[in-house]
Amino acid sequence: MSATEGHGEAIGHHGELLQGIFEDEDARLRRALVSLPYRQLKSKAKFSAKGEHRISVVPRYCEKSKRAAELTLKRFAPGRTGGQLTIESNIPVGRGMGSSTADVVASILAVLGYLDVHPTPDSVMQIAVSAETACDPTLFSQQAVLFAHREGIPIESFRFSLPPIDVISLDPTGGQTVDTLTLEPARYSPLEIEMFRPLRSLLRQAITASDLGLLGRVATASARINQRFLRKPRLLDIEVIGDRHGAVGIQVAHTGTVVGVMFDPANERTSENINLAMDDLRKSDFEPSIITH
């Protein structure tokens, strides 16, 4: 039996720790990524029917979310075609922080809540891919996964969650946005594709051992490789400031604009180091803020 209305919620992220091309269990090469969840950023959706024959959405520009709701009804309740979908979000748009996927996933979950059906996470993410071409592993926020974002499937689920990370967040573009629909997928060279193999292994090791130093080196390597495809202004300057003050590495939104300087919260000097790094970043005309994973 359907509820009166359904609710869904999904979080954003602060770009990726690793993104590239990797082998799945059948040795097929797939584009995949590991996101850095940002739990303070959320999208919330509400869905109700009330006799409508079509789906309306507020805000009206959330067309991908509307499409996701339509696909969810078509798959799980073919006789129903309409409803009211309302979305509220505090996730910045066009910065590579998962705003679109969070809206889409929250919308799918709201419709599923209304219908009182409970499909697998893989089914939810595949609907999300159908609605927006590629999506982030928003639904797997409690577990670290290497996620094939164009197929909507995890190709490796790591045994443990990501360790706590303190991050200085900044946008070196000064507020520019990236349209992911017009952004061409990175054309990695054979050498770059081969580099992703050991990076995946090192990431697995870092997560298993909660080794933030190793995790930071993996994220930094991924940021450097992908700098060729979507350049972050003054990325080297940011990295140098981080190194000066004890950062474990940098990470970026590979299809967005934000950059994160990563610190180990277990280090007793981290609070002081973050303050010093923030001062240096401000002196270099950046506008940093602090987030905690």
Side-chain angles (χ1 to χ4, degrees), residues 215-228:
L215 187 66
R217 290 196 291 274
V218 170
T220 301
S222 185
R224 290 172 178 170
I225 292 171
N226 284 277
Q227 179 77 338
R228 187 161 73 87

Side-chain angles (χ1 to χ4, degrees), residues 205-268:
Q205 179 182 336
I207 293 173
T208 300
S210 290
D211 186 337
L212 271 189
L214 183 56
L215 187 66
R217 290 196 291 274
V218 170
T220 301
S222 185
R224 290 172 178 170
I225 292 171
N226 284 277
Q227 179 77 338
R228 187 161 73 87
F229 307 104
L230 184 60
R231 182 178 174 273
K232 306 296 186 295
R234 302 177 63 196
L235 185 66
L236 181 58
D237 293 344
I238 297 168
E239 186 177 346
V240 168
I241 291 172
D243 286 344
R244 184 185 304 151
H245 299 294
V248 298
I250 57 170
Q251 57 82 219
V252 303
H254 291 68
T255 55
T257 61
V258 294
V259 176
V261 186
M262 304 164 60
F263 293 83
D264 184 353
N267 186 322
E268 62 182 13

Side-chain angles (χ1 to χ4, degrees), residues 46-47 52 54-59 66 70 82-86:
K46 179 175 70 175
F47 180 82
E52 291 87 349
R54 296 181 180 179
I55 290 179
S56 60
V57 61
V58 177
K66 178 182 177 182
E70 292 169 344
Q84 294 180 341
L85 178 66
T86 304

Side-chain angles (χ1 to χ4, degrees), residues 149-178:
H149 47 291
R150 291 182 174 272
E151 289 87 10
I153 55 174
I155 62 175
E156 181 174 356
S157 297
F158 300 103
R159 292 177 57 195
F160 301 96
S161 300
L162 291 172
I165 308 170
D166 287 344
V167 178
I168 296 177
S169 173
L170 56 128
D171 183 348
T173 69
Q176 295 178 19
T177 60
V178 174

Side-chain angles (χ1 to χ4, degrees), residues 265-286:
N267 186 322
E268 62 182 13
R269 296 195 58 185
T270 285
S271 180
E272 177 186 357
N273 286 340
I274 286 178
N275 288 334
L276 291 171
M278 295 270 283
D279 287 343
D280 274 6
L281 288 165
R282 292 190 186 100
K283 291 174 183 176
S284 298
D285 296 323
F286 296 110

Side-chain angles (χ1 to χ4, degrees), residues 2 15 24 53-54 61 66 80 83 103 125 129 157 206 225 227 235 260 282-283 289-290:
S2 299
D24 66 11
H53 297 292
R54 296 181 180 179
Y61 62 78
K66 178 182 177 182
R80 305 184 186 189
D103 288 351
M125 298 311 293
V129 168
S157 297
I225 292 171
Q227 179 77 338
L235 185 66
R282 292 190 186 100
K283 291 174 183 176
S289 59
I290 301 174

